[in-house]
Amino acid sequence: MKRQGTKHQMDGLLMLLLFGVFAVCVLSVLLTGAKAYRGLTDRDRAAYDRRTCVQYIATRVRQGDIEGGVTVEPFEDTTALCMTQDGYMTRIYWHDGYLMELYTSADAELYPEDGEKIMPLESLSLAMEDGLVTAEIGAAGGVVDTLRLSLRCGEGDLL
């Protein structure tokens, strides 16, 4: 009789051990999945931020694309993408780690720190040659996206 009681205790101990191994396996799978999910969401967020910046600049250039309306000019210690229309100027530039925008009258004397912060950015290099605007956008992690836009000066607009 004593043997059978010991056997039941061993069966219970074996089931408890088996349950513990199962619980550890489930927990390790969940932790691995959570880590992978976090990595994917971080990567997607960084890609979204990069695309947003590129699209923002492209949209602003397309909005200001009139005859002589888009230029690249020095602005204090940086270079600004300038869109002029009806006596007002919008400047897009990089200052203190941010993409900045400054909307003023065309003859106003303002400084880079007067603009609005749009989004964090590592660097921004702007150039314009023969109607081609080039923007090299440095994002976090050393990734550089290049945007090239050909100015049309309102050509091809459909009603």
Side-chain angles (χ1 to χ4, degrees):
M1 181 108 160
K2 205 170 197 188
R3 262 184 173 279
Q4 198 166 0
T6 305
K7 183 174 177 12
H8 286 304
Q9 286 178 353
M10 292 300 281
D11 287 345
L13 189 59
L14 183 61
M15 279 201 278
L16 188 60
L17 182 64
L18 191 57
F19 177 75
V21 169
F22 177 73
V24 168
C25 288
V26 168
L27 187 60
S28 67
V29 167
L30 286 174
L31 291 176
T32 302
K35 183 178 177 183
Y37 179 76
R38 184 178 300 121
L40 289 173
T41 56
D42 289 346
R43 183 198 66 188
D44 288 348
R45 186 178 305 118
Y48 174 79
D49 289 344
R50 286 180 29 233
R51 284 192 310 267
T52 301
C53 185
V54 169
Q55 288 302 315
Y56 173 78
I57 293 172
T59 299
R60 296 301 287 158
V61 169
R62 287 182 187 123
Q63 288 173 347
D65 190 8
I66 61 171
E67 185 69 37
V70 178
T71 58
V72 174
E73 300 174 2
F75 184 48
E76 293 293 318
D77 59 346
T78 187
T79 305
L81 181 62
C82 302
M83 280 84 51
T84 307
Q85 186 174 10
D86 298 329
Y88 292 95
M89 178 182 286
T90 301
R91 289 184 177 106
I92 296 173
Y93 54 96
W94 180 83
H95 179 71
D96 283 343
Y98 284 91
L99 178 67
M100 306 282 282
E101 180 180 57
L102 181 60
Y103 180 73
T104 63
S105 63
D107 57 355
E109 288 293 325
L110 295 173
Y111 302 99
E113 54 271 5
D114 296 327
E116 292 291 323
K117 293 178 181 177
I118 303 298
M119 64 180 19
L121 199 61
E122 294 292 320
S123 66
L124 177 65
S125 172
L126 298 164
M128 184 169 160
E129 187 175 327
D130 297 327
L132 182 68
V133 176
T134 303
E136 291 183 356
I137 302 158
V143 178
V144 176
D145 291 314
T146 301
L147 171 66
R148 290 186 180 90
L149 292 171
S150 178
L151 299 178
R152 299 179 184 188
C153 298
E155 294 176 10
D157 289 352
L158 300 176
L159 298 176

